[in-house]
Amino acid sequence: PEASGVGEVGTVITAEIWGDEERILLGSREMADGSDLDVYSAESPLGAAILGLKVGDTSSYAAPNGNQIEVKILAVDTYAG
């Protein structure tokens, strides 16, 4: 989909995660075939935490070790494939 500033399946999210800036594709590995982006499904802990967030929003999710990880949305872009 065309990015509208909201984290949706098929968008590239730039987020600050534990102080590091990361670009990820919210979707499926099949969508990202040939891309070097990290891919997270909307059902994953990180994907669920950022789904529906807007630029500037923050959230957190539980890591497998139980730690809470803060996420801040910096940008939402259309995935060009």
Side-chain angles (χ1 to χ4, degrees):
E2 190 72 26
S4 63
V6 176
E8 301 175 89
V9 172
T11 57
V12 177
I13 312 284
T14 303
E16 184 179 307
I17 304 171
W18 272 29
D20 294 326
E21 189 172 307
E22 296 188 33
R23 283 177 47 90
I24 64 168
L25 173 62
L26 189 58
S28 66
R29 298 222 180 268
E30 292 79 23
M31 291 173 65
D33 192 29
S35 171
D36 61 349
L37 289 169
D38 289 331
V39 181
Y40 291 88
S41 75
E43 293 80 30
S44 70
L46 174 57
I50 62 176
L51 186 66
L53 295 184
K54 299 175 191 157
V55 174
D57 287 350
T58 59
S59 184
S60 66
Y61 67 97
N65 64 5
N67 289 340
Q68 286 295 310
I69 298 175
E70 284 254 337
V71 180
K72 180 177 182 179
I73 306 303
L74 304 175
V76 179
D77 300 302
T78 301
Y79 177 61

